[in-house]
Amino acid sequence: MKNKSLLEFLSPERSILRYMIGTATLTVVVQILYDLAKEPFGIYGGLALALLLISIVWLILWIDQRIQDKRTRLKLEDVPIKAHPGLIVMVSPQNKDVPLKVVAHHQPALRHCWLVATKDSLQTAIELAAEIRRNWPAVQVHDAELSNLVDPDYSQGTWQRVENIYAQARELGLKEEDIVSDITGGLKPMTAGMAIACLPRNRPLQYLKTVRDKDGRPIPDAPTVVMKISIKG
C-alpha cells in the first residue's frame, strides 16, 4: 500500500468492499465527533467505540488486502500434460479427428471418457464413442449421458454438465485431479462454461495445440501436442 493515497486505497474502482467500509467508517466517525461535541463527559465511551471500530475496519481491510495480493500473484501457465485416467471432451459437428487425438494422448492411463455434445454434434459423438471403444477397449465411454445435450449458445448448460460429470466420477472412485477437461472443441460459450467449472477449483484443463509453420499455417501431419492450463499462485 506504500506510495498510494488513502483515496486511491478506498477507491470503488480498486475494491468495492473498501469503498463501502470506508464510507461507513467516515459516517460513524463524524457522528462520534458530533456526539462528543454535544456531550464531552461521554468522551471515554466514545473513544472506546472509535478504537473498536477502527480495529475492526482495519482487520477487514487487512484481510481484503491479502486476498487482493493473492489474486494479483495468480498466473496461468501452459505446460505439457501427462496421461490422465479420466477425460471430458467437447464434441464438434463432423469433427472426430481432434477428440481421437486427445484420447490417444491419454493412453494407456485413460479409463473413463465423457463426451459433451449438442444436438448438432450428437451423431458425431455417437460415431466417436464407437470408434473409441473399437480402438481402445479398456476405455469406458459414458455415452448414456449423450441424451443430456447442452445448448452451444449458453455457458450454463456446459458448466452444469461438467459439474454432473465430476459428481459421477466421484462415485466411480476418481479424484478431481484424475480428470482433465478438454476445451479444444465446442463454441465459445461451451468453452467458457467448462473453464468456469474447472479453473476456480483448480481442476485440470487442457487444449490441443495447433502446430504451425513459419508462415502461421497449421501443419496437418504434425505430432499431437496437448497442453495443460495451470494456475500458479
Side-chain angles (χ1 to χ4, degrees):
M1 292 186 293
K2 58 185 179 180
N3 298 328
K4 296 182 183 293
S5 68
L6 182 60
L7 289 178
E8 181 183 355
F9 179 74
L10 297 176
S11 169
E13 295 180 358
R14 178 178 174 87
S15 172
I16 190 65
L17 175 62
R18 295 175 187 172
Y19 172 75
M20 294 173 64
I21 291 176
T23 303
T25 303
L26 182 61
T27 302
V28 173
V29 168
V30 170
Q31 182 63 47
I32 291 173
L33 292 176
Y34 175 76
D35 291 342
L36 289 177
K38 290 177 58 180
E39 190 178 350
F41 294 105
I43 188 170
Y44 295 111
L47 288 178
L49 178 60
L51 289 174
L52 177 61
L53 176 64
I54 292 172
S55 299
I56 293 174
V57 166
W58 282 106
L59 177 61
I60 295 174
L61 292 177
W62 179 79
I63 294 173
D64 182 58
Q65 180 66 37
R66 294 291 298 272
I67 294 174
Q68 295 285 342
D69 290 344
K70 184 176 181 181
R71 287 175 179 170
T72 58
R73 290 196 302 267
L74 292 179
K75 63 179 180 179
L76 293 178
E77 289 184 353
D78 295 357
V79 295
I81 189 170
K82 62 181 181 64
H84 281 58
L87 175 65
I88 305 173
V89 182
M90 293 190 294
V91 182
S92 299
Q94 301 178 346
N95 185 353
K96 294 184 291 183
D97 183 55
V98 169
L100 288 173
K101 286 182 177 180
V102 170
V103 171
H105 174 82
H106 287 278
Q107 301 303 319
L110 188 63
R111 290 294 177 268
H112 297 274
C113 181
W114 289 267
L115 304 176
V116 179
T118 67
K119 64 179 181 179
D120 294 327
S121 66
L122 176 58
Q123 184 58 41
T124 302
I126 293 172
E127 296 172 2
L128 180 61
E131 195 160 346
I132 293 173
R133 289 192 180 96
R134 184 168 59 251
N135 294 339
W136 301 283
V139 178
Q140 181 179 355
V141 183
H142 299 271
D143 59 350
E145 292 81 8
L146 289 179
S147 59
N148 186 15
L149 303 177
V150 302
D151 189 331
D153 295 321
Y154 297 93
S155 59
Q156 170 69 23
T158 302
W159 172 82
Q160 188 61 64
R161 178 84 167 87
V162 173
E163 290 291 342
N164 292 342
I165 289 172
Y166 271 97
Q168 181 186 6
R170 284 193 292 271
E171 297 177 357
L172 295 171
L174 292 175
K175 300 177 181 178
E176 290 198 346
E177 59 265 28
D178 293 332
I179 308 166
V180 59
S181 298
D182 187 272
I183 63 171
T184 308
L187 298 179
K188 290 181 177 65
M190 297 175 66
T191 301
M194 180 172 279
I196 292 171
C198 295
L199 287 177
R201 300 188 183 184
N202 208 21
R203 293 166 171 168
L205 202 63
Q206 70 169 41
Y207 64 93
L208 183 64
K209 181 180 179 181
T210 302
V211 181
R212 303 179 184 274
D213 61 21
K214 62 180 181 180
D215 297 320
R217 293 188 294 265
I219 302 175
D221 299 325
T224 300
V225 180
V226 182
M227 304 296 290
K228 176 183 179 182
I229 303 174
S230 178
I231 298 180
K232 298 293 183 181

